Amino acid sequence: MALFFLSPLIGEFLLGNQPVTALPSVLILAPMYGGGAVLIRECARRLGRGWPTMIVLAAAYALVEEGPIDQMLWNPHYGGFDMAGAYAGTYVPFLGTSVGMIEDVLSIHTVWSVCVPIAIVETFAWGGGRAGREIRPWLGNIGLPLVATAFVADSLFLAVAQQHSEHFMASPARLIGCGAVILVLIALAFTLPARPATRPTARTPRPWLVGATAFAATSLYWARGGLFPSGVPDWTDPALWLLAVAAFVCLALRWSRSPAWSAAHRFALAAGAVLTYAWVGFTQSPTLDVPLSLALTGSAVFALAALVLLAAAARALTRRATPGRPAPRNAGTPAGPAADRESTAPTRASSQRTPEWTDRTRR
């Protein structure tokens, strides 16, 4: 349930896409956002998969939400904004959308809508005192079909609602093409190893440095629009995005191969990304159709809630480090029990978005 509701709270409210007065709408968003995150985690953990699988499935979810459901990928006036003008420089007629748009959709939903909430909630599970709980399935034979049904039903509801409110419908060819890419990503996700092979000689920095790196990288992603001088070619941004993503993935893979890589490091990655959304929300919320004071108050409330959440998660890790329990491994410390690492064996089931194109409207 925590993951079910945390996903839309981070993905929409902390980002500043929704005002604090719209908080009840989380009940409408949660079955799609949270249901998707829960199903991704559940499928991966039930089949003994790890983060590589969940990351690729999160990318597939990103295309599902902004493709067949919202159709923001192809709608030139989505949410009343001039999407075509904002992304004209990297528009590809064959795709019917912009490469820059795809880049932003994948970044936002893969990282913040799915992976960050999963990492945070698993941190609480890891700190709960039951070894291996964070890598076990959380749903039983009743919970899994219920969540799947809620996800499908809410996605269909939102797709119809968006079509009526936006008065837009993508061509069948574009919907089929997007669906094919989604299926390829899903198939790819389950061919990946559960986790990179551990290398005894590999080193990883302490968790605080991992978190600082994540905060710097994600903040740079959101602030990059103001860093480019005028006259820079439009394709510079997607090219640099590809290089930055490749560099960060390689760095994370190198760190995670260390025997010292731990739950504390995974939490640090998520915490850095959450702190980025905490400040980004103050730049996004002023574009909402509410008084500026209310918009900024909402951002302050959600940012404070995010800080409290991170502090509670960090405390859960600390509680796990009490006498008689294995402590989270840091750089330079010996590897702990195997249950503290990503499992490679199957487990049993147990009981920047810029202001020009914020998709804050979920009708």
Side-chain angles (χ1 to χ4, degrees):
M1 292 301 293
L3 178 56
F4 190 78
F5 288 105
L6 185 60
S7 180
L9 286 172
I10 291 178
E12 288 287 338
F13 291 89
L14 183 60
L15 175 59
N17 279 359
Q18 297 277 358
V20 67
T21 52
L23 195 56
S25 67
V26 74
L27 297 176
I28 299 176
L29 299 174
M32 179 186 68
Y33 271 91
V38 170
L39 290 174
I40 286 171
R41 186 205 174 272
E42 193 70 10
C43 289
R45 295 312 190 187
R46 280 173 173 257
L47 296 176
R49 301 287 175 171
W51 277 101
T53 293
M54 288 192 285
I55 290 171
V56 177
L57 288 178
Y61 168 85
L63 295 181
V64 169
E65 178 175 338
E66 303 300 1
I69 297 178
D70 283 353
Q71 300 191 41
M72 188 182 71
L73 285 175
W74 309 292
N75 189 346
H77 304 291
Y78 182 83
F81 294 99
D82 184 12
M83 308 293 284
Y87 287 94
T90 58
Y91 181 81
V92 179
F94 172 75
L95 299 175
T97 188
S98 161
V99 172
M101 169 79 76
I102 297 174
E103 158 201 309
D104 286 335
V105 164
L106 290 175
S107 300
I108 290 171
H109 290 304
T110 301
V111 176
W112 285 279
S113 298
V114 178
C115 291
V116 164
I118 291 175
I120 292 176
V121 178
E122 284 196 342
T123 299
F124 284 97
W126 191 92
R130 293 173 59 186
R133 187 182 178 190
E134 79 282 1
I135 61 175
R136 294 174 182 168
W138 292 340
L139 298 179
N141 295 329
I142 296 177
L144 183 59
L146 280 178
V147 173
T149 301
F151 172 74
V152 172
D154 193 48
S155 297
L156 290 174
F157 168 77
L158 290 174
V160 173
Q162 287 290 85
Q163 182 182 349
H164 283 285
S165 64
E166 297 288 338
H167 304 290
F168 176 85
M169 185 66 185
S171 68
R174 289 173 181 173
L175 291 171
I176 293 173
C178 184
V181 174
I182 292 169
L183 292 177
V184 169
L185 287 174
I186 294 174
L188 174 63
F190 292 103
T191 65
L192 299 174
R195 62 163 294 168
T198 301
R199 295 177 56 186
T201 59
R203 295 289 182 267
T204 188
R206 295 189 178 276
W208 71 266
L209 186 55
V210 172
T213 302
F215 175 73
T218 52
S219 293
L220 182 61
Y221 165 77
W222 279 96
R224 72 193 191 281
L227 301 178
F228 292 127
S230 59
V232 173
D234 293 318
W235 285 95
T236 301
D237 182 55
L240 291 178
W241 178 83
L242 285 173
L243 291 175
V245 169
F248 192 82
V249 168
C250 290
L251 184 62
L253 284 173
R254 180 179 178 182
W255 286 345
S256 61
R257 289 185 176 186
S258 168
W261 183 259
S262 69
H265 293 90
R266 290 189 292 272
F267 166 68
L269 282 175
V274 169
L275 291 176
T276 292
Y277 256 24
W279 72 259
V280 169
F282 286 94
T283 68
Q284 295 286 93
S285 60
T287 66
L288 299 173
D289 294 328
V290 296
L292 180 61
S293 59
L294 180 61
L296 295 179
T297 299
S299 293
V301 169
F302 294 126
L304 179 60
L307 293 176
V308 172
L309 177 68
L310 295 181
R315 185 180 179 186
L317 287 172
T318 303
R319 286 201 307 268
R320 180 66 179 268
T322 55
R325 294 177 180 175
R329 299 187 308 279
N330 291 324
T333 59
D340 187 31
R341 297 191 292 268
E342 294 283 351
S343 173
T344 56
T347 55
R348 295 180 302 162
S350 59
S351 322
Q352 136 190 97
R353 278 192 190 189
T354 56
E356 291 81 10
W357 64 282
T358 345
D359 66 333
R360 60 177 180 270
T361 348
R362 302 283 186 189
R363 304 183 182 90

